[in-house]
Amino acid sequence: DTAVSQTPKYLVTQMGNDKSIKCEQNLGHDTMYWYKQDSKKFLKIMFSYNNKELIINETVPNRFSPKSPDKAHLNLHINSLELGDSAVYFCASSQTAQEQYFGPGTRLTVT
Amino acid sequence: KQEVTQIPAALSVPEGENLVLNCSFTDSAIYNLQWFRQDPGKGLTSLLLIQSSQREQTSGRLNASLDKSSGRSTLYIAASQPGDSATYLCAVSGNTPLVFGKGTRLSVIA
């Protein structure tokens, strides 16, 4: 059984478009996260949600808007995509301050 | 601001060797430290989690230690195998969100 799943796995789109990435976890965790891994493979947190409430927003442009319809889902919507948004985006989940489990990643390419 | 450094950036060893990966962090006020493995083009797999009150954790051939006061952790891999080839990432959780090091890229040569 997949613990943390993301769709799509690959996303190729043009500059200026709006796209969404979906994340679901079946671990019963109360906290979910979005991370960005850039071309140099450096991982950095973008957002964290606890029980559907935003608790961390790490200086991410407001073109990025996370939405958590329930504890098991955290989606990422990106408006007006730019070339610099090309990266791998990872979703993760955990119980508060406990071990984090990561999804397989979504490779976003903006052309 | 928490900063995490991993040394070395890359390491190549012959199969069967024991090896140590190093991780250091600047702010000792952490809740826990987690070691991950990332294979090329894949997600992260959690290897070991050490709570701030613990000194070490073991899983199979892996042993991770934590010295919170000096801001250091090591990941010891015994009897390395080619299947251990991957990037190993250290991350700390505390008052700041989970902060990652840049990883150590390990190659185990058969």
Side-chain angles (χ1 to χ4, degrees):
Chain A
D1 284 347
T2 303
V4 182
S5 60
Q6 295 178 228
T7 53
K9 189 168 183 180
Y10 299 97
L11 186 54
V12 181
T13 188
Q14 291 184 328
M15 285 174 54
N17 285 348
D18 303 338
K19 290 293 178 186
S20 292
I21 307 172
K22 295 186 176 182
C23 177
E24 176 181 3
Q25 54 97 2
N26 63 6
L27 297 166
H29 289 160
D30 57 11
T31 306
M32 295 185 72
Y33 314 82
W34 277 108
Y35 291 86
K36 179 180 180 180
Q37 188 170 44
D38 60 26
S39 57
K40 296 182 179 177
K41 309 296 183 189
F42 188 51
L43 258 169
K44 192 170 181 185
I45 190 155
M46 300 173 68
F47 299 103
S48 173
Y49 266 74
N50 180 272
N51 284 316
K52 301 195 306 173
E53 289 193 20
L54 178 67
I55 56 173
I56 293 170
N57 178 344
E58 285 291 306
T59 60
V60 177
N62 58 15
R63 296 183 296 104
F64 291 78
S65 53
K67 293 247 180 350
S68 181
D70 54 56
K71 269 176 49 172
H73 296 84
L74 180 62
N75 304 322
L76 184 65
H77 188 76
I78 316 170
N79 289 327
S80 303
L81 278 155
E82 301 177 355
L83 292 176
D85 298 332
S86 295
V88 182
Y89 292 84
F90 288 100
C91 177
S93 73
S94 74
Q95 284 300 108
T96 306
Q98 296 301 314
E99 188 172 9
Q100 291 197 19
Y101 294 84
F102 279 69
T106 295
R107 182 174 296 277
L108 171 65
T109 303
V110 182
T111 61
Chain B
K1 180 186 168 185
Q2 180 74 273
E3 291 182 5
V4 179
T5 303
Q6 290 187 246
I7 295 173
L11 181 63
S12 184
V13 300
E15 181 177 7
E17 275 205 5
N18 302 325
L19 58 101
V20 174
L21 307 181
N22 296 293
C23 172
S24 61
F25 47 95
T26 54
D27 184 351
S28 61
I30 66 169
Y31 299 146
N32 57 54
L33 183 145
Q34 200 166 350
W35 282 94
F36 295 88
R37 167 188 174 136
Q38 185 174 28
D39 292 284
K42 304 285 187 184
L44 278 70
T45 301
S46 178
L47 298 173
L48 290 164
L49 172 77
I50 311 178
Q51 299 290 355
S52 61
S53 58
Q54 297 173 324
R55 297 284 295 185
E56 66 178 336
Q57 282 287 340
T58 298
S59 175
R61 293 183 293 108
L62 305 179
N63 176 279
S65 69
L66 174 64
D67 184 342
K68 206 173 75 158
S69 60
S70 68
R72 293 183 184 183
S73 175
T74 61
L75 179 66
Y76 175 82
I77 302 177
S80 58
Q81 303 170 357
D84 295 330
S85 298
T87 296
Y88 290 80
L89 294 156
C90 164
V92 296
S93 171
N95 292 328
T96 53
L98 197 65
V99 178
F100 280 83
K102 295 187 177 180
T104 293
R105 192 170 63 254
L106 173 66
S107 297
V108 181
I109 312 300

